[in-house]
Amino acid sequence: MKFQQLRYIVEVANQNMNITEAAHVLFTSQPGISKQVRLLENELGVEIFERNGKHIKGLTPPGKKIVAISREIMMKMQGIRSVADEYTKPEQGVLRIATTNTQARYMLPAVVEKFSQRYPNVSLHIHQGSPTQIYDALMSDEVDLAITTEAQYLFDDVVLLPCYFWNRSVIVKPDHPLAQCEHLTIEELGKYPLITYTFGFTGASDLDYAFNSAGILPNIVFTATDADIIKTYVRMGLGVGIMASMAHTSADKDLVAIKADHLFRPSMTQIAFKNGAFLRNYMYDFINYFSPHLTRTNVEKAEALHDNSDVKKLFSNVTLEVL
């Protein structure tokens, strides 16, 4: 059994059973991966992948367990390298983060600027995606940290740290009737076509809760994963926008933002990383720059708990910032 073989089967699983894509990611050949996978299966005496002729269609029951253990081995190997780098190259390295467009566009620039000034020799990579894509990237070790604002049930099996709450605003053009509304209600909002985030992306479930509680079926005519796209279609007159308040800036002089924190429950932004992951010093610093109450001491306490319900209790006395 070779480490390379374990790496191959993990990457095939990461690429949805596509050996060609796995070969591309690993800079090797498809026949080479197929050969090594077969050699590993022969050595173990079990098939790792279910096949339909020459095509892989899934993992066998033992294959699922073998790939899971292989992921842990690869993470430990990476941890060993990271420990060594921490002592030999403490100011150098790579930090990979997965997050949503809104976080990357409106929250991270100031954090990245501060981090880059402190660690100019750390290469920073930011991947944007949906909650599911963010989770998959974290679990497949494509990223070190995940910043998530919704679908937090996906992250039950990782360390999940609370950062801050954020509210929503209703966005309209200055000539829209709601622009003059002194006290916005769900009933009034329900009269208009709505443009908001894709369901399950950044709090759509909280919108549903508010409308359902009022017995109103919202007329959602357009959804997007990007706040800037929502603003674009509001400008086109397609409907009324509902998005994170932080996404309305001084540059949006042609749009009116109406506070809606009295209508919708606030959502929480959290940072996640895998249990057992070795965090470099600069990773702890990045987390702290993003959320000041997440000091290294507090993060290490959360790491030791291995249960997110206990992590919530750990930070229960912390007053989170509301944006």
Side-chain angles (χ1 to χ4, degrees), residues 223-255:
T223 63
T225 60
D226 184 335
D228 291 333
I229 293 177
I230 292 175
K231 288 187 283 188
T232 295
Y233 284 92
V234 170
R235 291 185 174 103
M236 290 172 56
L238 187 63
V240 173
I242 303 175
M243 66 182 195
S245 297
M246 71 182 80
H248 183 270
T249 70
S250 58
D252 299 314
K253 299 183 185 301
D254 58 335
L255 295 174

Side-chain angles (χ1 to χ4, degrees), residues 5-282:
Q5 293 171 328
L6 303 183
R7 188 181 178 204
Y8 284 173
I9 63 172
V10 166
E11 196 56 48
V12 170
N14 288 347
Q15 300 303 323
N16 296 315
M17 312 304 155
N18 190 317
I19 295 182
T20 301
E21 289 298 322
H24 176 74
V25 171
L26 295 171
F27 301 102
T28 188
S29 67
Q30 179 180 341
I33 290 182
S34 297
K35 178 182 178 181
Q36 290 301 320
V37 170
R38 281 296 191 186
L39 287 173
L40 179 59
E41 289 178 323
N42 290 338
E43 179 182 349
L44 297 176
V46 296
E47 289 194 344
I48 297 171
F49 296 104
E50 292 182 355
R51 294 175 173 82
N52 184 6
K54 293 183 178 180
H55 299 286
I56 291 177
K57 63 178 185 178
L59 289 167
T60 63
K64 292 178 181 179
K65 296 180 180 180
I66 291 170
V67 168
I69 294 172
S70 298
R71 290 189 196 278
E72 294 177 10
I73 292 172
M74 291 180 64
M75 188 172 74
K76 295 299 183 184
M77 290 288 288
Q78 182 58 47
I80 292 172
R81 294 191 184 98
S82 296
V83 170
D85 289 343
E86 189 65 44
Y87 287 91
T88 59
K89 298 178 288 186
E91 302 290 312
Q92 299 179 34
V94 177
L95 176 55
R96 305 161 302 165
I97 298 165
T99 188
T100 63
N101 173 272
T102 298
Q103 295 294 320
R105 171 72 176 81
Y106 297 103
M107 289 303 298
L108 284 181
V111 178
V112 168
E113 181 179 21
K114 183 176 181 179
F115 180 84
S116 297
Q117 290 175 351
R118 172 63 183 84
Y119 295 102
N121 294 319
V122 173
S123 179
L124 188 60
H125 302 274
I126 298 178
H127 307 260
Q128 298 174 48
S130 68
T132 301
Q133 290 170 330
I134 292 169
Y135 173 78
D136 289 343
L138 181 64
M139 299 310 293
S140 62
D141 295 317
E142 295 176 29
V143 298
D144 306 295
L145 302 174
I147 301 175
T148 178
T149 57
E150 187 55 39
Q152 290 165 2
Y153 63 89
L154 289 174
F155 296 83
D156 282 344
D157 53 351
V158 301
V159 180
L160 200 55
L161 305 170
C163 298
Y164 61 84
F165 288 108
W166 57 272
N167 284 317
R168 294 164 187 75
S169 290
V170 170
I171 309 296
V172 296
K173 295 198 294 183
D175 59 353
H176 193 280
L178 288 182
Q180 308 304 320
C181 184
E182 294 184 1
H183 184 73
L184 185 63
T185 64
I186 283 290
E187 289 75 13
E188 188 67 22
L189 188 58
K191 297 177 182 178
Y192 299 94
L194 304 177
I195 305 170
T196 188
Y197 294 113
T198 301
F199 177 78
F201 197 86
T202 49
S205 56
D206 290 326
L207 264 67
D208 287 341
Y209 176 83
F211 281 105
N212 290 340
S213 297
I216 296 173
L217 180 65
N219 179 22
I220 298 177
V221 296
F222 189 87
T223 63
T225 60
D226 184 335
D228 291 333
I229 293 177
I230 292 175
K231 288 187 283 188
T232 295
Y233 284 92
V234 170
R235 291 185 174 103
M236 290 172 56
L238 187 63
V240 173
I242 303 175
M243 66 182 195
S245 297
M246 71 182 80
H248 183 270
T249 70
S250 58
D252 299 314
K253 299 183 185 301
D254 58 335
L255 295 174
V256 175
I258 307 167
K259 282 191 173 184
D261 50 326
H262 62 292
L263 301 181
F264 307 114
R265 298 179 302 187
S267 293
M268 182 187 290
T269 292
Q270 296 177 275
I271 285 185
F273 56 89
K274 290 177 72 173
N275 282 300
F278 178 80
L279 300 186
R280 299 281 302 273
N281 285 333
Y282 58 74

Side-chain angles (χ1 to χ4, degrees), residues 284-298:
Y284 284 108
D285 281 346
F286 182 92
I287 292 172
N288 184 235
Y289 294 163
F290 186 76
S291 192
H293 69 273
L294 295 177
T295 61
R296 177 165 185 157
T297 298
N298 284 339

